[in-house]
Amino acid sequence: MKAIVSLENLASHLVLTFWTPLFVGIFITIVFYALRPRNKKLFDSAANMPLRED
């Protein structure tokens, strides 16, 4: 008879219940930060940095 609770079941349950929502939240936060209008000037200057001649 196999054990109902195994390391694989515990690990997959932990991933599904904790890590996936955590990383989805982190991803949404990063996208929100990148798309904020207040950061446009900062990101535009960073995008033009390789083209500048000092």
Side-chain angles (χ1 to χ4, degrees):
M1 181 172 186
K2 277 187 151 180
I4 294 174
V5 177
S6 67
L7 187 59
E8 292 89 18
N9 288 342
L10 184 62
S12 69
H13 183 68
L14 180 67
V15 167
L16 290 175
T17 59
F18 181 69
W19 292 109
T20 302
L22 176 70
F23 284 120
V24 167
I26 290 171
F27 176 76
I28 290 171
T29 303
I30 291 170
V31 168
F32 176 72
Y33 172 77
L35 296 178
R36 288 175 73 182
R38 186 169 64 178
N39 294 327
K40 182 172 178 20
K41 185 177 178 183
L42 175 71
F43 288 130
D44 284 343
S45 68
N48 291 327
M49 196 179 303
L51 305 175
R52 277 190 256 162
E53 293 183 23
D54 290 329

